[in-house]
Amino acid sequence: MAQELVLVGGGHAHVDVLKRFGLEPVPGVRLTLVTRDLETPYSGMLPGLVAGVYSRAESHIDLTRLVSSAGARLIHAETNGLDRVDRVVLCSGHAPVGYDFVSLDIGAGPDLSIPGAREVGVPVKPVDGFLERFDALLRDAQASGRAPRIAIVGGGAGGVELSLAIERRLRDFAGGASVGLVTRHDILPDYPARGREVLRRELERRGIDLVTNAEVAEARPGALVCRGGRSLAFNEAIWVTGATPPVWLADTGLALDDGGFVALEPTLRSANDPFVFAAGDVATVLEHPRPKAGVFAVRQGKPLEQNLRRALAGKPLRPFRPQAEFLTLIGTYDGAAVASRNGLAASGAWAWRLKQWIDRRWIRQYQALT
Ligand SMILES: Cc1cc2nc3c(=O)[nH]c(=O)nc-3n(C[C@H](O)[C@H](O)[C@H](O)COP(=O)(O)OP(=O)(O)OC[C@H]3O[C@@H](n4cnc5c(N)ncnc54)[C@H](O)[C@@H]3O)c2cc1C
């Protein structure tokens, strides 16, 4: 093979790159996916999986099938470094993987810097670890007939949606669900006021103990201790706090933004290495910073694929400007969703039907492959 193109991580942008390269392969280029997980979850359907609306198969993309349909090579390993001098991807339990061009779409995990969070908290990412823990918790609840008390840390869209999904799933146990949501400021600080109000009322109606303006200072076994002394009891504390980058990025010598994410040009190429590209939560386009959300990773798929093709052919890259406004749909998992766009918000069963339609249509593109 004349050139090696290595994709690290089967995130939302890379699944699209794989599909597009499969439809139109580049002669003389070997495409490789290095991935920690063989099935990648779609973030839009994750709360639905937790709520019991979707099965695992419905909400995940089978990367083995996708890679095979793209005629690519699959390496099932976790990447833990990049040697940019020798141009190799470093992996645990696998020999280094050489590249001419490499692209990173490995996501980001919740911030676990609070004392005790690593020891007693369950991070929502990696998703596989979280789902395993949640399944074990459901089995225990089925055996005992009683649901555990769940505390969710983080009041962004993910934390709010997950609280509602978990309440729905645990509601039917004796004594009902016991879910608390604790957040540093208000819930959904960047959300339109009307949407925030609708969701606050929904959380209250569902008996979710909402603790706002409370900063968790320490996680102890069985209790979250907030600054000011307030304490919240739990059997299981799930961490859905703001995204943090993988620690090994700091050792790569790649240009990073203030948060430690890969700094990109608008072409999705690294700001200081022409052989490295990135997309999704792990990166920030310096000229167009956006919230860490799956909608942006999804939209980066096509421009990333096109610029990787141009880079392989030695052609000039084209800049990509991400959308400034986007539709957010937060499911209540009780037959409705809250839709928001351009500072406006509305809710109802129609929004839930729309969310299901959009999510199913998106994931089907990567599942329905021969
Ligand atoms: C509960 C919840 C609900 C959410 N709902 C929404 C929503 O409705 N809409 C929205 O826009 N955003 C949502 N988000 C945010 C969304 O999850 C992320 O923004 C999105 O997943 C980012 O996509 P990504 O492609 O960057 O990475 P990811 O989707 O995280 O994918 C990363 C992939 O890389 C692989 N990987 C990770 N590390 C390595 C490694 N070291 N080596 C090899 N492979 C690796 C993983 O196996 C994974 O397949 C939600 C988040 C949560 C927690």
Side-chain angles (χ1 to χ4, degrees):
M1 285 290 167
Q3 294 189 88
E4 298 277 2
L5 171 58
V6 178
L7 307 178
V8 179
H12 294 47
H14 276 179
V15 292
D16 200 46
V17 172
L18 279 164
K19 184 182 172 190
R20 290 171 185 278
F21 267 87
L23 292 174
E24 203 186 321
V26 185
V29 172
R30 175 159 71 171
L31 182 58
T32 300
L33 175 71
V34 181
T35 178
R36 185 188 58 208
D37 300 305
L38 293 177
E39 291 178 324
T40 197
Y42 173 40
S43 55
M45 293 169 105
L46 176 62
L49 171 62
V50 168
V53 175
Y54 299 119
S55 67
R56 187 183 166 93
E58 283 173 315
S59 55
H60 282 69
I61 297 166
D62 180 343
L63 292 174
T64 311
R65 269 183 78 192
L66 185 60
V67 165
S68 142
S69 77
R73 175 173 65 141
L74 179 73
I75 295 179
H76 185 198
E78 180 162 1
T79 296
N80 55 16
L82 208 57
D83 178 342
R84 296 190 304 118
V85 176
D86 289 339
R87 285 207 231 159
V88 288
V89 174
L90 307 172
C91 305
S92 55
H94 194 280
V97 182
Y99 66 84
D100 292 290
F101 292 95
V102 63
S103 174
L104 308 175
D105 181 15
I106 53 176
D111 180 2
L112 299 173
S113 58
I114 293 165
R118 274 174 218 288
E119 292 74 24
V120 305
V122 179
V124 73
K125 290 194 177 184
V127 171
D128 236 35
F130 162 66
L131 289 177
E132 237 170 67
R133 188 69 207 120
F134 191 69
D135 282 348
L137 182 154
L138 279 179
R139 282 196 300 276
D140 289 352
Q142 270 146 9
S144 68
R146 291 195 76 79
R149 178 166 172 73
I150 308 277
I152 289 165
V153 184
V160 167
E161 203 171 2
L162 205 56
S163 306
L164 292 164
I166 291 177
E167 189 281 333
R168 180 69 197 86
R169 191 66 183 268
L170 299 182
R171 180 188 296 176
D172 298 331
F173 288 98
S178 173
V179 180
L181 173 61
V182 53
T183 185
R184 187 185 286 153
H185 305 296
D186 197 356
I187 54 161
L188 303 160
D190 304 324
Y191 218 63
R194 176 167 149 65
R196 192 163 49 236
E197 257 334 289
V198 171
L199 282 157
R200 193 199 318 280
R201 279 204 303 275
E202 182 66 11
L203 290 164
E204 282 166 7
R205 184 183 79 77
R206 303 271 287 273
I208 294 170
D209 185 11
L210 179 58
V211 184
T212 54
N213 300 309
E215 181 145 5
V216 176
E218 191 186 347
R220 296 185 188 151
L224 294 175
V225 183
C226 299
R227 237 173 266 292
R230 181 165 180 181
S231 153
L232 200 81
F234 70 87
N235 302 113
E236 209 71 54
I238 300 170
W239 243 255
V240 198
T241 43
T244 52
V247 283
W248 56 263
L249 279 185
D251 300 324
T252 58
L254 285 171
L256 305 177
D257 74 354
D258 293 343
F261 297 96
V262 181
L264 297 181
E265 295 173 347
T267 55
L268 307 179
R269 184 169 67 180
S270 154
N272 71 338
D273 188 330
F275 305 107
V276 178
F277 290 72
D281 282 6
V282 75
T284 301
V285 180
L286 295 176
E287 273 183 46
H288 311 296
R290 294 289 185 270
K292 302 287 179 207
V295 288
F296 296 108
V298 161
R299 293 282 185 93
Q300 286 173 328
K302 187 175 175 188
L304 176 62
E305 175 256 352
Q306 293 184 341
N307 274 338
L308 287 171
R309 278 183 199 279
R310 292 185 187 110
L312 288 159
K315 292 184 180 160
L317 309 184
R318 294 213 187 124
F320 168 68
R321 175 185 278 274
Q323 71 275 33
E325 288 294 339
F326 60 100
L327 175 68
T328 307
L329 288 157
I330 297 185
T332 65
Y333 302 94
D334 219 4
V338 179
S340 96
R341 194 185 166 114
N342 292 343
L344 300 172
S347 64
W350 62 269
W352 172 237
R353 283 195 297 274
L354 178 65
K355 174 166 172 56
Q356 284 186 295
W357 181 77
I358 291 174
D359 288 340
R360 284 182 197 272
R361 189 185 56 159
W362 184 82
I363 202 164
R364 241 191 327 255
Q365 301 176 76
Y366 311 103
Q367 290 173 329
L369 298 157
T370 48

